[in-house]
Amino acid sequence: MLNFTIRRLIQIPLVMLVLSVIVIGLTQLLSPEQRAAPYIRSEQQAARLEQIITERGLRDPFPVQYGRWFSNTIRGDLGFSKASGKDVIPTIQERLPNTIELTLVTALPILLLSIWLGTLSALHKDKLLDQILRVLVVFGYSLPTFVLGIVLLAVFYAYLGWLPGAGQLEIINQFAVGDLRRYTGMMSIDAALNGRWDIAWDALRHMILPAVTLMIVLSANLVKVMRNSMLEVLTSDYVRTARAKGLSSRVVNGKHARRNALLPIVTLGGFLVIGLLGGSIITETIFAYPGIGQWFVQSALQLDIAGVLGFTLLSALLVVVMSTAVDILYGVIDPRVRFH
Amino acid sequence: MKKLVTLSSLLVISAALAASPADTLVIQSAADVPTMDPGVTYDTSSSALVDNMYETLLTYDGASLTKLVPQLATKWTVSNGGKTYTFDLRKGVKFHSGATMTCADAEYTIERNLVTNSGASGNWFIAESLTGSQSNAADDKSITWAKIDKSVECNNAGQLVFTLPAVDPAFLAKLAYTGQAIVEKAYSAKIGEWDGTEATWKDWIGKDLTGSNLSKQPNGTGPYRLVRADANNHLFQAFDGYWGEKPSIKNVIRQKVPELAARQQALLRGDADIIEGGGRSVDEAQIKGKPGVTWVDGLPNTTSTAIFMNEKIQGKGNSLLGSGKLDGKGIPANFFSDVNVRRGFSYAFDYDGYIKDVQKGQGMQRTMLMPDSFPGYDPKVKKYTFDPAKATEYFKRAWGGQVWKNGFTLTANYRANSVGAQTAMEILKKNIESLNPKFRVNIQSKQWSEMLADSKKGEEAMILIGWAPDYADADNFMYTFYASDGYYSPRANWKDASVDKWLKQARSTVNVAERNRLYSLIGNRAYEQAPFILVPAPVNYTFQSSRLSGAPITKAGFNPMTSLNWKDLSKK
């Protein structure tokens, strides 16, 4: 287990190195003029196109450009992200906790809901409840996130006025936040630790609509997988044996069947968390939620190479770390899995 | 999607449920804020914030585009035949840091702009006035420390003195530009910006200030100071030490909300006071007339747009030329060098149709490629009209009759995702092709970055591009479009010796009447020669929460050259 973990950790810098070469290499497919375009917002600036290209070394050979980026990165300088108006590292420090906070609020409900509904669906196979759940799964699976987000915003914010609109906090609290001592970077937790329960509640209220959007869209696939996995387990020999021994349905389904049916959910759940930590691009954009997903989409749209690279490296780190965690968790759930 | 947005708008209950506090202005925009350093501010979303934190020596008087009034200066005199400007500076002005503004700060500001003068900044035009070159010292070896240092100095009386190498009638207007807002020397040096000395100036030549320390920690003399900037919010508070009248709005928050539907709902619910809209057709359909929203229309527009007809299309084997001959399958590289071709095209554009369909009736056909609100604009200069008969007449004359006989195939590009540009090109294509079955105009979209590069090299046959003002002076437009060494010259390759002469004369005299006369001459000459098709200019509009009031958001007080001054607003 320890060797396996160490091997995985060693992979991180290698993965990042390869990724950085690929991303910077891909940018070289664009002409210097195209790479200079993001720095030009008007025809006035376009008049200085050549100067901008020269100043940024966009005509330098690829090894020179990569070397420049690499030497800066080694010194802890990932560059300036045009999309955020800040350096990459402070941008990640500012936005990643927001994304983690949204993940915390979203991931566990998604997993619990999916396990519960998937189990329910399997246990009532082909009955009305199963049919309803399957229709809902198809609905959730096929519904575009941006449509769902805008509908929820229109209904619960614009029409009913029950929940706040886009953003992270009410205006009045935006000004109060400056006085908070930050511990985690996560608004609701930091506000609670400062005794500002009003701000904590406000931050949580602002997360309801994005979280519900993500829950509806992301639960669908997991419910389907859980249902199929559960159906497979329910027809296995050991479940039949457990039933023959006279164990109650609750014990058979809950203790024996569901635990084994969870294995694919653990894998998918890991990817779900990786995806959420990587920033929910559409949801964060619709709800103006200041996570890294929103930053990435802005960086990509603006060809903000420093931003795209910073995000890519962060994502790579998250993937390696989370997939390692998932593999370890696998071993915990299923003792048959061994690491060599 | 559009239906959903409309539905969401219809679902909105009365906006009387005003949610944002009366002492707080809430602005929502999709755009990011690239910088808060005035030294590199050259875009509208940055200017919108910088203009409220920083101040320039002088500014526009209300809605006037011609009258400049003191701001951080109290008065100025012009001497030495228009080549020396001496400014008295306002006393007792405080920076947000608490320091008092001195002449050294003003001198440092201008010198910093001349030294850095990066490609991304708008410092090229102040450099042109003060050093005689648009470039910085890295690109132009004639720019020395001595030249920069001598161009702006503080005299013993504490006055700021500018010494120009040549007369520049637009110099004062250039000083009113955001980029010349005054920064504090000591504070800037302390946080790691240039220290203002000759010993270090070379390290700062061409330095891009976009992500500078000053951008991260702005410090101006303006009515609002930055309290905090996080991922999506910029928070400002009225500056207690402000020298001028205290603003009635105490707090301002500028939020980045990328989704239009979310911004619209925030405005209609009263959570936002000002939002970035979605263009006239969207805003008229979904915002105009809604309760709680004030719509102000008929505002001046200061952009100019033209369809360029390149008289010397560059690029070996340029695919836009087709066969490269007048054989019906292409065009020669000098196709547009015949004035009859250009006139034919000019008469084939449906100006009124464009105003009606694209601009929803809110457009104006100008006589010259400059804003009609600028001094120098002559409404009496003749305009082309949509006249297929005249277009036919000129095409029959073109190239000794070969154009009409053989026809042509022309490929024109427009900027991708620009509905206005696409529609204009489609109108032109339809009308040209209806004149003669042998006429063919292919139009295709092209990424802006590619267009930038290709048009600069003169490789575009026909493109539609516009210009927005840096400063309120006719020269900023006229020279750009019409001069054979102007910025847009490679896109048209039109050269007229008289026009070049008149343009140079106009930029070297401060006599307003004489300049106006020269610009009229240029306008008339351009009408005769038809180097461009003048695309009608849209009429501007604005909308905001009805809780807001103030001169800048009225038709009488709106100034297209300045950002919205929050200090002139009040909210109930």
Side-chain angles (χ1 to χ4, degrees):
Chain A
M1 176 73 87
L2 184 66
N3 284 345
F4 167 80
T5 310
I6 290 167
R7 271 205 315 272
R8 279 299 184 85
L9 291 174
I10 290 168
Q11 282 179 9
I12 294 172
L14 291 172
V15 168
M16 289 185 159
L17 193 71
V18 172
L19 266 174
S20 66
V21 171
I22 291 169
V23 173
I24 295 179
L26 282 172
T27 64
Q28 300 301 301
L29 297 174
L30 302 169
S31 69
E33 287 84 4
Q34 286 172 303
R35 280 180 283 130
Y39 303 101
I40 297 168
R41 294 175 157 255
S42 64
E43 281 292 347
Q44 279 85 340
Q45 285 175 315
R48 318 258 285 179
L49 180 67
E50 202 50 49
Q51 193 186 334
I52 289 169
I53 291 169
T54 308
E55 282 168 5
R56 297 184 177 272
L58 300 177
R59 287 203 199 282
D60 293 348
F62 171 65
V64 173
Q65 291 190 50
Y66 184 80
R68 194 163 44 227
W69 177 84
F70 188 78
S71 66
N72 287 338
T73 304
I74 292 294
R75 291 200 307 268
D77 176 13
L78 282 171
F80 178 75
S81 166
K82 207 172 68 69
S84 69
K86 290 185 172 125
D87 288 343
V88 169
I89 288 173
T91 302
I92 292 171
Q93 285 170 337
E94 181 177 64
R95 287 175 174 263
L96 186 59
N98 294 331
T99 297
I100 292 171
E101 191 174 20
L102 187 60
T103 303
L104 289 175
V105 169
T106 310
L108 195 61
I110 288 176
L111 288 169
L112 294 176
L113 188 76
S114 304
I115 292 164
W116 178 57
L117 292 177
T119 307
L120 213 58
S121 193
L123 294 175
H124 295 81
K125 185 174 179 287
D126 296 331
K127 295 195 176 101
L128 179 64
L129 180 65
D130 182 38
Q131 304 285 13
I132 292 168
L133 285 171
R134 281 160 73 184
V135 168
L136 287 175
V137 162
V138 171
F139 177 74
Y141 198 71
S142 56
L143 194 65
T145 313
F146 74 91
V147 172
L148 179 64
I150 288 171
V151 167
L152 289 176
L153 204 58
V155 173
F156 291 98
Y157 166 60
Y159 181 62
L160 297 171
W162 293 351
L163 290 168
Q168 196 183 17
L169 286 174
E170 292 297 336
I171 303 299
I172 199 94
N173 287 329
Q174 289 284 6
F175 285 88
V177 165
D179 303 329
L180 295 183
R181 190 162 169 204
R182 304 307 294 264
Y183 300 96
T184 64
M186 293 183 245
M187 190 62 75
S188 57
I189 294 170
D190 287 351
L193 291 171
N194 278 267
R196 290 299 303 266
W197 296 99
D198 56 329
I199 296 178
W201 171 234
D202 187 23
L204 286 170
R205 282 179 75 237
H206 276 80
M207 278 190 278
I208 293 171
L209 285 180
V212 169
T213 304
L214 289 167
M215 278 168 67
I216 292 171
V217 172
L218 299 176
S219 297
N221 191 37
L222 287 173
V223 170
K224 199 169 69 175
V225 169
M226 184 67 199
R227 178 184 179 274
N228 294 343
S229 178
M230 192 73 183
L231 285 173
E232 196 182 328
V233 170
L234 286 172
T235 56
S236 61
D237 292 343
Y238 70 88
V239 170
R240 207 174 301 117
T241 307
R243 284 212 172 96
K245 281 164 67 183
L247 291 174
S248 69
S249 286
R250 203 167 59 85
V251 174
V252 172
N253 296 338
K255 194 179 172 189
H256 297 280
R258 187 157 53 193
R259 182 166 174 174
N260 285 308
L262 278 177
L263 284 174
I265 290 291
V266 170
T267 308
L268 280 175
F271 284 116
L272 168 87
V273 173
I274 290 168
L276 286 170
L277 286 175
S280 314
I281 291 167
I282 296 169
T283 308
E284 287 184 4
T285 300
I286 289 168
F287 294 100
Y289 190 80
I292 55 169
Q294 190 198 39
W295 169 53
F296 171 66
V297 79
Q298 296 295 325
S299 298
L301 287 170
Q302 296 178 31
L303 202 63
D304 171 10
I305 292 166
V308 170
L309 263 168
F311 176 84
T312 307
L313 296 182
L314 175 71
S315 298
L317 182 69
L318 289 171
V319 168
V320 175
V321 169
M322 285 305 299
S323 57
T324 305
V326 166
D327 288 343
I328 293 167
L329 195 61
Y330 233 93
V332 172
I333 290 176
D334 187 353
R336 292 172 301 179
V337 177
R338 290 280 177 268
F339 300 99
H340 300 290
Chain B
M1 174 78 176
K2 197 176 164 186
K3 282 179 182 171
L4 268 172
V5 175
T6 312
L7 170 75
S8 67
S9 299
L10 289 171
L11 287 172
V12 170
I13 52 171
S14 168
L17 288 169
S20 63
D23 67 349
T24 304
L25 174 71
V26 183
I27 301 164
Q28 289 189 352
S29 173
D32 54 344
V33 180
T35 188
M36 286 190 287
D37 187 331
V40 72
T41 297
Y42 206 23
D43 68 281
T44 47
S45 61
S46 298
S47 297
L49 306 189
V50 169
D51 276 340
N52 284 285
M53 290 187 286
Y54 287 89
E55 290 171 310
T56 44
L57 293 172
L58 38 92
T59 188
Y60 294 94
D61 186 13
S64 173
L65 296 177
T66 52
K67 192 179 172 201
L68 292 160
V69 291
Q71 192 169 44
L72 288 181
T74 51
K75 65 181 171 95
W76 63 87
T77 54
V78 186
S79 57
N80 188 22
K83 290 198 281 190
T84 302
Y85 289 78
T86 306
F87 285 84
D88 282 15
L89 301 182
R90 195 173 293 281
K91 300 274 191 291
V93 173
K94 290 262 191 282
F95 284 101
H96 301 161
S97 67
T100 303
M101 183 191 76
T102 66
C103 183
D105 296 313
E107 182 186 1
Y108 167 82
T109 298
I110 306 297
E111 284 177 352
R112 180 176 183 252
N113 291 343
L114 296 177
V115 168
T116 54
N117 190 10
S118 69
S121 79
N123 290 318
W124 62 271
F125 54 86
I126 196 77
E128 193 173 33
S129 302
L130 292 171
T131 65
S133 166
Q134 294 183 359
S135 306
N136 60 37
D139 301 325
D140 184 342
K141 299 303 170 203
S142 75
I143 308 298
T144 59
W145 169 252
K147 202 179 234 185
I148 289 172
D149 189 39
K150 274 205 187 102
S151 69
V152 53
E153 294 191 291
C154 292
N155 65 16
N156 293 336
Q159 295 170 303
L160 187 70
V161 182
F162 291 100
T163 307
L164 283 59
V167 169
D168 181 1
F171 181 63
L172 290 175
K174 290 176 181 181
L175 284 180
Y177 181 70
T178 310
Q180 309 315 322
I182 306 304
V183 304
E184 186 193 338
K185 181 179 179 179
Y187 171 89
S188 303
K190 196 173 119 193
I191 61 169
E193 294 301 318
W194 178 50
D195 61 8
T197 66
E198 182 182 3
T200 57
W201 82 286
K202 283 188 175 168
D203 301 336
W204 290 82
I205 296 169
K207 188 107 167 171
D208 182 10
L209 303 172
T210 304
S212 70
N213 290 334
L214 190 61
S215 172
K216 291 165 193 160
Q217 306 162 67
N219 169 39
T221 62
Y224 288 89
R225 63 181 181 86
L226 181 77
V227 176
R228 192 167 57 83
D230 61 28
N232 283 347
N233 302 289
H234 287 77
L235 285 79
F236 302 88
Q237 264 175 350
F239 174 43
D240 289 338
Y242 184 55
W243 61 269
E245 204 177 313
K246 298 284 175 284
S248 84
I249 291 176
K250 187 167 172 281
N251 306 309
V252 178
I253 178 165
R254 190 270 191 194
Q255 300 180 299
K256 182 177 170 178
V257 180
E259 183 56 46
L260 175 63
R263 297 197 302 272
Q264 288 175 327
Q265 289 167 2
L267 175 73
L268 295 170
R269 277 194 59 82
D271 286 341
D273 302 305
I274 296 167
I275 65 162
E276 182 185 327
R280 183 179 280 276
S281 56
V282 173
D283 296 335
E284 280 196 351
Q286 292 168 19
I287 297 290
K288 193 177 180 181
K290 291 280 190 297
V293 178
T294 303
W295 182 278
V296 185
D297 216 326
L299 301 174
N301 177 292
T302 50
T303 59
S304 266
T305 305
I307 297 173
F308 287 61
M309 296 177 273
N310 192 349
E311 296 181 34
K312 205 193 299 174
I313 303 159
Q314 308 290 327
K316 212 172 176 181
N318 191 327
S319 62
L320 299 180
L321 301 178
S323 65
K325 299 180 195 136
L326 263 180
D327 56 0
K329 294 175 188 159
I331 53 165
N334 59 347
F335 177 63
F336 286 113
S337 63
D338 186 333
V339 69
N340 294 300
V341 173
R342 301 196 301 268
R343 285 177 186 158
F345 270 90
S346 297
Y347 277 120
F349 189 80
D350 187 356
Y351 304 91
D352 291 339
Y354 184 82
I355 292 170
K356 184 168 156 280
D357 297 333
V358 179
Q359 298 172 329
K360 309 289 173 204
Q362 298 291 332
M364 176 195 176
Q365 192 187 347
R366 293 198 187 125
T367 60
M368 301 155 75
L369 281 170
M370 66 178 286
D372 49 284
S373 51
F374 275 27
Y377 179 82
D378 185 355
K380 293 193 200 75
V381 168
K382 282 189 192 160
K383 292 184 285 199
Y384 282 90
T385 53
F386 176 46
D387 190 335
K390 277 193 172 164
T392 302
E393 183 190 326
Y394 281 110
F395 277 123
K396 281 181 174 172
R397 285 190 216 169
W399 289 94
Q402 280 191 78
V403 169
W404 190 258
K405 187 173 145 228
N406 301 334
F408 62 83
T409 300
L410 159 77
T411 303
N413 292 322
Y414 63 87
R415 185 176 169 174
N417 305 321
S418 170
V419 176
Q422 183 179 348
T423 315
M425 287 306 202
E426 282 170 352
I427 288 171
L428 194 60
K429 170 187 167 72
K430 179 173 145 280
N431 295 343
I432 291 285
E433 290 180 351
S434 68
L435 295 174
N436 182 334
K438 292 178 183 167
F439 288 2
R440 182 150 192 81
V441 178
N442 299 321
I443 56 170
Q444 55 189 25
S445 74
K446 195 166 178 175
Q447 288 302 320
W448 191 49
S449 53
E450 291 175 65
M451 278 184 88
L452 280 177
D454 292 347
S455 67
K456 188 169 172 276
K457 289 184 277 190
E459 292 178 0
E460 293 288 354
M462 179 181 248
I463 51 166
L464 181 148
I465 35 178
W467 184 259
D470 295 308
Y471 47 91
D473 190 273
D475 181 75
N476 190 224
F477 281 85
M478 299 298 276
Y479 208 93
T480 301
F481 279 105
Y482 295 110
S484 65
D485 61 344
Y487 167 56
Y488 274 151
S489 181
R491 288 133 182 96
N493 281 300
W494 177 64
K495 185 173 169 62
D496 186 285
S498 301
V499 166
D500 281 344
K501 185 182 75 182
W502 293 329
L503 282 165
K504 286 199 164 51
Q505 285 174 348
R507 60 170 23 187
S508 58
T509 176
V510 288
N511 183 322
V512 175
E514 175 61 5
R515 293 183 85 209
N516 292 350
R517 186 186 72 82
L518 291 163
Y519 289 134
S520 294
L521 287 172
I522 296 162
N524 283 308
R525 182 78 178 146
Y527 169 77
E528 287 167 26
Q529 291 296 306
F532 313 103
I533 297 169
L534 277 60
V535 177
V539 169
N540 256 347
Y541 67 96
T542 179
F543 61 88
Q544 55 275 323
S545 162
S546 300
R547 297 172 71 197
L548 286 183
S549 58
I553 51 174
T554 62
K555 196 167 176 175
F558 176 84
N559 190 319
M561 289 306 298
T562 58
S563 304
L564 179 65
N565 285 317
W566 308 329
K567 72 179 170 65
D568 297 330
L569 299 177
S570 57
K571 186 175 171 184
K572 56 179 190 267

